[in-house]
Amino acid sequence: MKKLYIVANWKSNKTILQAEEWFRTINNLPVTFNEEEKKVIVCAPFTLLSKVKELTVNCKLSIVVGAQDVSPFDEGAYTGEVSASQVKEFADYVIIGHSERRSNFGETEKIVELKILQAIKFNLVPIICVSSINQVNDKWKMMNGKFIVAYEPVFAIGSGTPDTPENAGLMAKKIKEILGDTDILYGGSVTSNNVANFLETPDINGVLVGGASLDAQEFYKIIQNS
Ligand code: PGA
């Protein structure tokens, strides 16, 4: 039985009160699945990392904290950046190179690489997002750390039109051919109705969920249906 990653990407959403409400809802739902088989990660904005960490401690469901970005530099004079050593105080995972960062914030391959190095240096597991096979870099294997890759085609993100499970599975297989036995997630319009189709394919090890993770009930259904 492969261990599945169910990863929420809250993006630039939620206040502290809304995060508390989300966890309250999760806590009121019965755990009807085997937690051992599923690793649930919530990637929250920096402003919520401390609160989410605190909320996970008393949560009925075992949830691990992730961040959505990290500085490409060590701590120091980098106004506005949050260093990997700071993120590590709250999180164990970090999303790196999401297509929204590549397109809106000019994140280049070089910056992505520096961020991966920082994450690994401080024991954060990078969840490296790629939207095509061209963005997969076999250098990542040489970085001496565990990492996860999320295949997220741009057309599928937030559109309500996911990739087909066949194509996503094929992409996951191709990524593994380049990187070896790495866990591969699929992301892009995942919902409780389609999640199982992606996870049935042999090379997909989990999902990265944006919009549908904001609603606690729907995210819970995604975990249940995984
Ligand atoms: P979506 O986003 O589930 O809203 O399509 C996924 C992502 O961008 O990680």
Side-chain angles (χ1 to χ4, degrees):
M1 180 83 201
K2 60 181 182 181
K3 179 138 185 162
L4 299 173
Y5 290 90
I6 317 296
V7 186
N9 175 9
W10 281 358
K11 306 194 180 185
S12 197
N13 291 291
K14 294 201 188 293
T15 59
I16 289 179
L17 279 180
Q18 290 166 336
E20 285 172 340
E21 179 59 31
W22 191 94
F23 273 88
R24 208 172 301 126
T25 306
I26 292 280
N27 264 322
N28 284 333
L29 294 164
V31 179
T32 53
F33 46 84
N34 183 356
E35 283 197 67
E36 298 297 305
E37 292 167 2
K38 306 182 192 199
K39 181 135 199 140
V40 181
I41 303 170
V42 170
C43 296
F46 289 133
T47 51
L48 294 177
L49 287 182
S50 164
K51 178 49 90 180
V52 167
K53 175 82 185 167
E54 189 186 308
L55 290 165
T56 58
V57 175
N58 297 319
C59 189
K60 219 162 57 181
L61 184 65
S62 136
I63 297 182
V64 184
V65 185
Q68 299 169 15
D69 190 23
V70 69
S71 172
F73 304 112
D74 271 312
E75 63 178 16
Y78 301 103
T79 304
E81 287 297 307
V82 181
S83 70
S85 59
Q86 294 172 311
V87 172
K88 183 63 196 180
E89 291 194 291
F90 310 103
D92 290 312
Y93 291 82
V94 59
I95 294 172
I96 292 178
H98 191 283
S99 64
E100 287 157 9
R101 296 214 57 83
R102 294 182 195 248
S103 63
N104 296 321
F105 304 98
E107 216 160 275
T108 61
E109 286 307 306
K110 184 69 202 160
I111 294 173
V112 167
E113 199 181 309
L114 290 172
K115 289 183 174 187
I116 298 170
L117 284 169
Q118 281 296 318
I120 289 174
K121 183 169 166 189
F122 289 94
N123 267 324
L124 288 160
V125 178
I127 301 172
I128 311 167
C129 298
V130 299
S131 47
S132 74
I133 200 83
N134 302 335
Q135 289 175 345
V136 177
N137 193 333
D138 65 358
K139 249 199 220 167
W140 301 339
K141 281 190 293 195
M142 264 66 93
M143 290 181 178
N144 286 329
K146 180 183 162 52
F147 62 89
I148 295 169
V149 174
Y151 163 62
E152 299 204 304
V154 172
F155 73 83
I157 295 177
S159 66
T161 308
D163 202 347
T164 61
E166 294 72 31
N167 192 55
L170 188 66
M171 288 297 296
K173 183 166 180 281
K174 286 188 183 165
I175 295 170
K176 283 184 184 180
E177 278 162 16
I178 299 173
L179 296 174
D181 192 19
T182 310
D183 289 321
I184 311 290
L185 315 183
Y186 166 74
S189 298
V190 171
T191 65
S192 58
N193 291 328
N194 63 27
V195 65
N197 304 334
F198 291 101
L199 296 176
E200 269 163 18
T201 67
D203 291 301
I204 294 181
N205 307 89
V207 284
L208 181 53
V209 189
S213 74
L214 296 175
D215 181 284
Q217 304 245 21
E218 168 64 4
F219 187 62
Y220 201 78
K221 267 195 224 154
I222 291 175
I223 305 170
Q224 274 180 319
N225 295 353
S226 294

